[in-house]
Amino acid sequence: MKKVSFVIPCYRSEHTLPHVVAEIEEKMKTMEQYEYDIFLVNDCSPDDTFGTIRRLCREHENIKGISFSKNFGQHSALMAGLRHSDGDYVVCLDDDGQTPANEVDRLLEKLEEGYDAVYAKYEHKQHSAFRNMGSRINELMTRVMLGKPADLYVSSYFAVKKFVVNDMVKYENSYPYVIGLVLRATKNITNVTVNHREREEGSSGYTIKKLLGLWFNGFTAFSVKPLRIATGIGAFSAMVGFFYGIYTIAKRLVNPAVPMGFSSTMAAIVFFGGMVMLMLGLIGEYIGRIYISLNNSPQYVIRETINLEKEE
């Protein structure tokens, strides 16, 4: 009998989490060909989310709880759950009830057909306008920087086979980016359409700061294209400056009465100075991340686990 491991990052979900777990249980009762367990990872939520996890773990032996010592982010929470999971298939979904756990059979069917990874695709997303804008930017970034196929839609609701998980958890650097890890492991990925619900309560935990950090993490951790783009912009800027210099000299030779422009000189200095600072900042970001990784900064720190003692 094959086993399915569910991994759910948890943040501000003390009220919604029981409904998500109950929905998983109801669905898996109809899929007797699978056994399953559920990993609930508390990302140091400020409410009583871990209290809810404690209660669920007491009531169900197949539910495992993990609690971080501080907030490390959704992708670190996913990595913690993936490392403890042992299912033949691993399904990752949200804790707010927007991702329909009762449609997990659609994802698992695609894995059974031979795909290595399956991402849920939504016809009508119920996210806020801000979150939808973030998703579009993330879509563009993963396509340009990480080589994601243009027709592949990525979301937080996905399923992968065990060998993909085994490769993903080998990544121990400080800045995990789950989409990049999946794309690194396989290109045999497909989509399946599911419903997307309105949020039961609360709002998305992704602020502008967190989204910017996530995007920056994605393209600096798994791609050198930003450096190549910086090189191209630098070369283009240098070429523009060179030809502008020739134009200025030629104009002066043709008409010596033409005054040398202070404003154009300052504009050129500000433009090229800004470009240089931008490139240096980008290079510095890469070097800083290398430094932090060499210092073995952890992806996460676990304060407490529940129902995992026997496995450890």
Side-chain angles (χ1 to χ4, degrees):
M1 179 180 292
K2 291 183 177 179
K3 184 177 182 179
V4 179
S5 292
F6 291 86
V7 175
I8 306 177
C10 305
Y11 189 79
R12 294 186 183 274
S13 55
E14 60 175 314
H15 301 301
T16 59
L17 194 55
H19 302 301
V20 175
V21 170
E23 189 172 38
I24 292 174
E25 292 175 333
E26 287 298 317
K27 184 62 180 182
M28 296 309 292
K29 286 179 182 178
T30 67
M31 303 175 67
E32 298 180 351
Q33 69 272 34
Y34 298 110
E35 58 179 334
Y36 72 98
D37 54 11
I38 304 173
F39 294 85
L40 305 177
V41 186
N42 174 43
D43 192 19
C44 200
S45 181
D47 61 1
D48 194 35
T49 293
F50 195 58
T52 299
I53 293 175
R54 285 181 186 278
R55 177 174 59 79
L56 291 169
C57 289
R58 285 197 302 267
E59 296 172 354
H60 308 276
E61 291 185 358
N62 66 333
I63 297 181
K64 325 290 184 180
I66 300 171
S67 184
F68 286 173
S69 63
K70 68 175 188 177
N71 182 262
F72 284 91
Q74 181 184 23
H75 287 245
S76 292
L78 285 171
M79 292 299 290
L82 292 172
R83 282 199 172 90
H84 285 88
S85 67
D86 60 352
D88 299 287
Y89 302 142
V90 177
V91 179
C92 300
L93 67 159
D94 293 338
D95 60 343
D96 54 13
Q98 287 192 280
T99 49
N102 62 355
E103 296 185 45
V104 67
D105 55 320
R106 298 188 181 186
L107 280 72
L108 296 177
E109 285 173 3
K110 289 296 182 180
L111 293 181
E112 294 283 4
E113 289 177 13
Y115 290 100
D116 300 329
V118 183
Y119 278 91
K121 183 177 182 180
Y122 312 118
E123 287 187 355
H124 304 287
K125 294 185 67 176
Q126 301 297 328
H127 283 315
S128 64
F130 170 72
R131 184 67 184 275
N132 286 333
M133 179 194 70
S135 297
R136 286 193 291 270
I137 296 175
N138 188 63
E139 162 75 15
L140 177 63
M141 187 206 72
T142 53
R143 182 153 45 89
V144 174
M145 300 297 181
L146 304 182
K148 180 187 72 66
D151 58 344
L152 177 65
Y153 178 89
V154 295
S155 66
S156 58
Y157 190 16
F158 65 96
V160 292
K161 290 183 175 178
K162 185 175 183 178
F163 85 89
V164 177
V165 173
N166 290 340
D167 182 75
M168 293 171 69
V169 299
K170 292 178 183 177
Y171 184 84
E172 297 182 350
N173 288 337
S174 309
Y175 301 97
Y177 189 62
V178 171
I179 299 170
L181 292 171
V182 172
L183 291 170
R184 185 181 73 170
T186 180
K187 289 294 191 290
N188 186 24
I189 310 172
T190 191
N191 284 126
V192 62
T193 301
V194 301
N195 295 313
H196 195 243
R197 303 167 180 158
E198 293 186 6
R199 180 181 289 270
E200 293 183 21
E201 64 174 59
S203 58
S204 173
Y206 274 108
T207 61
I208 293 178
K209 180 180 178 181
K210 288 185 177 180
L211 282 174
L212 289 174
L214 179 64
W215 299 330
F216 217 71
N217 177 42
F219 65 70
T220 56
F222 293 93
S223 176
V224 295
K225 284 187 178 180
L227 290 175
R228 293 174 180 171
I229 292 172
T231 301
I233 293 175
F236 175 77
S237 299
M239 187 180 300
V240 170
F242 175 76
F243 284 113
Y244 183 76
I246 293 178
Y247 166 75
T248 302
I249 294 172
K251 186 170 65 171
R252 181 71 173 178
L253 292 174
V254 172
N255 185 5
V258 174
M260 299 301 292
F262 174 78
S263 58
S264 60
T265 302
M266 290 304 300
I269 291 175
V270 170
F271 174 75
F272 292 112
M275 294 304 301
V276 169
M277 294 301 295
L278 176 65
M279 308 313 165
L280 288 176
L282 183 59
I283 295 171
E285 180 70 22
Y286 273 93
I287 294 174
R289 286 171 180 261
I290 293 172
Y291 174 75
I292 292 174
S293 296
L294 288 176
N295 280 341
N296 294 321
S297 180
Q299 292 177 357
Y300 51 83
V301 177
I302 296 177
R303 181 192 300 277
E304 184 179 349
T305 61
I306 306 175
N307 289 346
L308 284 171
E309 289 76 10
K310 294 180 180 179
E311 298 178 14
E312 296 174 347

